[in-house]
Amino acid sequence: MSERVFPSSKPAANGTAANGTTAPATNPTPTANKSHLYNPTARPPYRPQPHNRRRRSRSGRSICCCCCFWSLLILLLLILIAAIAGAALYILYRPHRPEFSIPSLRIHRLNLTTSADSSSSHLSSLVNLTVISKNPNSHLTFFYDSFTLSSFSNDVFLGNGTLPAYSLNKKNETSFRNVVVSGSNDLDAESVNTLRSDLKKKSGVTLKIELDTKVKVKMGGLKTKKVGIRVTCDGIKGVVPKGKSPTVAVTTGSKCKVDLRIKIWKWTF
């Protein structure tokens, strides 16, 4: 009898059919490829966005530059308007500074005493003077506060006095006679040496008078605010009296100049 051969019931491996032929390879479906490339439920990958800090900084700088430009332009316009107004007022009113003079001064007392042990020195002074104030302007009126007078000899303080407040109309003048300036104070060693050498001179001591006050100016219907001024009168020479009779100082070479005193915070210019 002949033997029968039965086919194997196991499936063919690696795509090989039972009859020994090779099965054609199957291509992947397009749907599988698309699902692999795009998944709507998956989270998109993170992509860093470019920062806008540079743009913001540039815009902030441009705004700052514009503000500075307009502020500077407005300031220049205000300065120009003020200069034009000042020039117009000067041409219209022709303002001049007030004038002061000291035509006479008498020295009643100028005594320097030193203790026996030379530990301290004391100065006693008394002068009597005349002050003349003039207004050379034709359209301005001055309103003065009370004056504070100070006397010096080579920057050594001698004494002080006062003048009352007054007003001075246009093209007018006023005088104050018998104005007393006196003092009694202790001096340091440097001031004593400076003053003692001046007292020994035959030509006499050099005196300087300072007048400090505030003034307000009226120009037509316009009034300014009060401004500080200082009047400095120097070039006065006088001999120290030896007895009770006062000596007359020489004031022919004296000159008085008027300066503005502008105070900013704690400093005065």
Side-chain angles (χ1 to χ4, degrees):
M1 292 179 66
S2 60
E3 296 180 354
R4 294 182 179 181
V5 180
F6 296 94
S8 176
S9 61
K10 294 182 180 180
N14 297 328
T16 305
N19 56 1
T21 61
T22 303
T26 59
N27 293 328
T29 61
T31 307
N33 290 336
K34 290 184 179 179
S35 63
H36 178 72
L37 295 177
Y38 173 73
N39 188 359
T41 61
R43 180 179 296 179
Y46 172 74
R47 296 180 181 178
Q49 299 294 328
H51 296 285
N52 294 328
R53 293 181 179 177
R54 294 184 179 179
R55 294 182 180 178
R56 292 179 181 177
S57 61
R58 290 178 181 176
S59 61
R61 290 178 182 177
S62 61
I63 293 173
C64 183
C65 292
C66 289
C67 292
C68 293
F69 172 76
W70 285 108
S71 299
L72 182 60
L73 182 61
I74 292 173
L75 180 61
L76 292 176
L77 289 176
L78 291 176
I79 293 175
L80 180 61
I81 293 172
I84 294 174
L89 289 175
Y90 180 80
I91 295 173
L92 182 62
Y93 294 105
R94 295 286 182 176
H96 297 280
R97 294 187 180 187
E99 298 176 359
F100 292 84
S101 62
I102 299 179
S104 65
L105 185 144
R106 295 175 180 268
I107 301 175
H108 291 265
R109 184 173 63 250
L110 191 58
N111 298 331
L112 178 63
T113 57
T114 305
S115 60
D117 57 355
S118 301
S119 60
S120 61
S121 298
H122 186 78
L123 175 66
S124 178
S125 64
L126 175 62
V127 298
N128 185 290
L129 52 92
T130 299
V131 179
I132 296 178
S133 175
K134 294 182 179 180
N135 182 5
N137 297 279
S138 302
H139 304 280
L140 306 182
T141 301
F142 295 109
F143 298 89
Y144 296 100
D145 287 353
S146 58
F147 285 76
T148 300
L149 282 71
S150 303
S151 60
F152 298 88
S153 177
N154 287 336
D155 295 331
V156 177
F157 177 75
L158 303 180
N160 52 23
T162 58
L163 278 180
Y166 66 96
S167 61
L168 198 57
N169 294 325
K170 46 195 173 182
K171 288 292 183 179
N172 203 350
E173 70 176 47
T174 184
S175 61
F176 298 91
R177 302 181 183 276
N178 298 324
V179 179
V180 177
V181 181
S182 61
S184 179
N185 45 58
D186 297 329
L187 301 179
D188 55 13
E190 184 179 357
S191 300
V192 169
N193 295 332
T194 302
L195 187 59
R196 184 172 291 168
S197 61
D198 290 340
L199 293 176
K200 293 180 180 180
K201 294 180 181 179
K202 294 182 179 180
S203 59
V205 294
T206 302
L207 301 176
K208 180 178 67 174
I209 307 295
E210 289 183 353
L211 300 89
D212 293 304
T213 187
K214 289 184 178 181
V215 61
K216 182 170 61 175
V217 182
K218 180 180 178 182
M219 299 178 291
L222 178 63
K223 286 186 179 181
T224 65
K225 293 184 178 181
K226 292 182 180 180
V227 180
I229 62 171
R230 168 171 288 182
V231 183
T232 304
C233 302
D234 54 6
I236 303 172
K237 287 190 175 183
V239 180
V240 179
K242 295 181 179 180
K244 294 183 179 181
S245 299
T247 59
V248 179
V250 179
T251 60
T252 53
S254 65
K255 294 181 180 180
C256 297
K257 64 177 182 178
V258 181
D259 297 317
L260 291 175
R261 300 283 289 173
I262 301 174
K263 187 175 182 179
I264 302 176
W265 289 301
K266 298 180 180 180
W267 298 275
T268 304
F269 302 94

